[in-house]
């Protein structure tokens, strides 16, 4: 590992799991070039002084807080659970999931207070304890490391606290969600005491990451509209330096070009359709430096 111990920035990502592919794809989207294949312990970037280290997600917060690595990508859930002192830099908009309390479909547990005195299996004991304390619940936590969702069926627990994204695993196990504890997504975190030199590199990385994130969060649209509705259009299409080019394909028409944020994309398109705009060209954006 001699090569790993150079002055380059070190970033840990999950070695093999739900965050791995999205983390690698995201890093590539930021323009970083590197090799990666399953057996690799770490990769060196060709075009940036960065080493990527592949670890178990549970270990990432500790490696970041102790300075073994400078940066890490992990689920907010793992960070909340491990409570290591690290600096959160960015939400990365992938790895979405929620920590929920679930019970068997036909369980008599209907409201939170029904959990008092019950056995609850989880691999998130810290997050669970915080939630119980806040909601004044006295329950017995059964700590398990995996396959939490089968514990009610095998009689180990009355309820579970586990991660879910689509809810399909819960349904498959005949479980229903009682309540949500928190939502999570992948985040970029950094060590708290980075050297001046590394801070500079991290700022550079953040700019790249933000560029990729904005591109992901926005769509490019182009449409043709009656010139007279332009004032109304300007109100509907949220302004990010609203730009339009009038090349007048026909008299009285304008061609409008803009970007729309992903989370209001469909409602904006609906509004445009109601205004009578039929053809809208939508394109993904590769990068957006703003
Ligand atoms: P490791 O071997 O690295 O410890 P793991 O089995 O603990 O992996 P995964 O199941 O690969 O972890 O999940 C990694 C992360 O993916 C979770 O911590 C969470 O942030 C995110 N995630 C997204 N959707 C889900 C989901 N449906 N269930 C579990 N985790 C999810
Ligand atoms: Zn894990």
């Amino acid at each position: 590992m001699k090569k790993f111990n150079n002055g380059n920035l070190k970033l840990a990502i999950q070695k093999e799991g739900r965050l791995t592919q999205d983390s690698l794809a995201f890093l590539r989207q930021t323009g970083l070039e590197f090799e990666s294949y399953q057996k690799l312990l770490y990769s060196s970037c060709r075009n940036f002084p960065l080493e990527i280290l592949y670890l178990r997600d549970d270990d990432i917060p500790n490696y970041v807080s102790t300075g073994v690595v400078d940066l890490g990508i992990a689920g907010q859930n793992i960070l909340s659970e491990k409570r290591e002192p690290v600096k959160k830099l960015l939400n990365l908009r992938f790895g979405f999931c929620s920590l929920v309390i679930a019970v068997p479909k036909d369980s008599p547990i209907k409201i939170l207070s029904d959990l008092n005195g019950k056995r609850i299996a989880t691999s998130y004991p810290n997050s669970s304890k915080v939630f119980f304390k806040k909601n004044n619940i006295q329950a017995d936590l059964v700590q398990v490391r995996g396959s939490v969702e089968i514990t009610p069926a095998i009689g180990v627990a009355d309820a579970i606290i586990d991660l879910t994204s689509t809810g399909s695993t819960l349904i498959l196990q005949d479980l229903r969600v009682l309540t949500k504890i928190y939502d999570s997504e992948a985040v970029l975190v950094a060590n708290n005491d980075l050297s001046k030199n590394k801070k500079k590199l991290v700022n550079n990385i953040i700019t790249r990451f933000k560029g990729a994130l904005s591109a992901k969060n926005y769509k490019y649209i182009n449409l043709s509209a009656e010139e007279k509705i332009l004032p109304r259009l300007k109100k509907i299409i949220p302004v990010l330096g609203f730009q339009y080019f009038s090349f007048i394909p026909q008299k009285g028409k304008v061609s409008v070009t803009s970007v729309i944020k992903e989370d209001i994309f469909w409602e904006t398109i609906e509004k445009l359709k109601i205004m009578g705009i039929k053809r809208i060209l939508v394109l993904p954006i590769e990068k957006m430096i703003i």
Side-chain angles (χ1 to χ4, degrees), residues 219 221 260-270 282:
K219 293 265 182 279
I221 64 156
I260 301 187
K261 222 173 169 206
E262 183 83 60
D263 52 1
I264 54 159
F265 178 76
W266 285 112
E267 68 182 73
T268 308
I269 297 292
E270 270 316 302
V282 182

Side-chain angles (χ1 to χ4, degrees), residues 14 17-19 56-58 75 77-78 95-97 163-165:
Q14 192 186 20
R18 284 184 155 99
L19 297 180
R56 281 202 60 195
D57 67 343
D58 311 61
N77 53 302
I78 291 288
F96 291 104
C97 57
L163 291 176
T164 176
S165 44

Side-chain angles (χ1 to χ4, degrees), residues 45-64:
C45 279
R46 274 193 293 277
N47 58 350
F48 196 83
L50 174 79
E51 316 288 332
I52 301 163
L53 192 70
Y54 304 97
L55 297 171
R56 281 202 60 195
D57 67 343
D58 311 61
D59 297 334
I60 292 176
N62 181 258
Y63 276 31
V64 174

Side-chain angles (χ1 to χ4, degrees), residues 108-284:
I109 301 172
K110 302 278 186 234
I111 54 172
L112 275 185
S113 59
D114 293 338
L115 291 168
N116 278 310
K118 296 289 193 294
R119 295 161 307 161
I120 305 177
T122 188
S123 31
Y124 286 80
N126 292 329
S127 306
S128 304
K129 281 177 203 157
V130 169
F131 181 83
F132 288 160
K133 197 162 176 214
K134 217 163 93 193
N135 291 280
N136 221 348
I137 295 163
Q138 259 88 46
D140 293 331
L141 276 184
V142 183
Q143 225 167 299
V144 291
R145 294 196 80 170
S147 304
V148 181
E149 68 279 3
I150 65 155
T151 54
I154 58 174
V156 172
D158 307 299
I160 65 164
I161 293 182
D162 203 8
L163 291 176
T164 176
S165 44
T166 58
S168 54
T169 313
L170 296 180
I171 293 167
L172 226 65
Q173 296 293 334
D174 276 332
L175 297 167
R176 65 176 158 83
V177 173
L178 187 68
T179 193
K180 185 165 78 181
I181 296 184
Y182 55 61
D183 286 320
S184 175
E185 70 183 278
V187 293
L188 175 71
V189 290
N191 175 271
N192 277 322
D193 316 299
L194 292 176
S195 67
K196 223 169 136 192
N197 208 15
K198 290 213 162 160
K199 268 189 192 149
K200 254 195 217 156
L201 290 174
V202 168
N203 283 336
N204 191 322
I205 284 268
I206 291 175
T207 307
R208 278 169 180 260
F209 276 32
K210 280 189 176 164
L213 281 169
S214 326
K216 205 161 110 177
N217 285 340
Y218 288 90
K219 293 265 182 279
Y220 172 100
I221 64 156
N222 176 264
L223 56 91
S224 173
E226 300 283 333
E227 199 171 0
K228 59 175 191 273
I229 66 167
L230 200 57
R232 276 169 67 205
L233 267 183
K234 283 190 185 179
K235 281 191 194 134
I236 290 178
I237 301 181
V239 196
L240 185 117
F242 183 96
Q243 305 207 355
Y244 63 93
F245 313 111
S246 168
F247 57 83
I248 315 188
Q250 285 170 288
K251 208 169 172 291
K253 291 218 169 184
V254 284
S255 170
V256 176
T257 300
S258 190
V259 292
I260 301 187
K261 222 173 169 206
E262 183 83 60
D263 52 1
I264 54 159
F265 178 76
W266 285 112
E267 68 182 73
T268 308
I269 297 292
E270 270 316 302
K271 284 183 192 161
L272 292 173
K273 278 167 75 185
I274 290 167
M275 284 177 72
I277 292 161
K278 293 201 181 69
R279 296 200 189 119
I280 307 169
L281 181 69
V282 182
L283 295 172

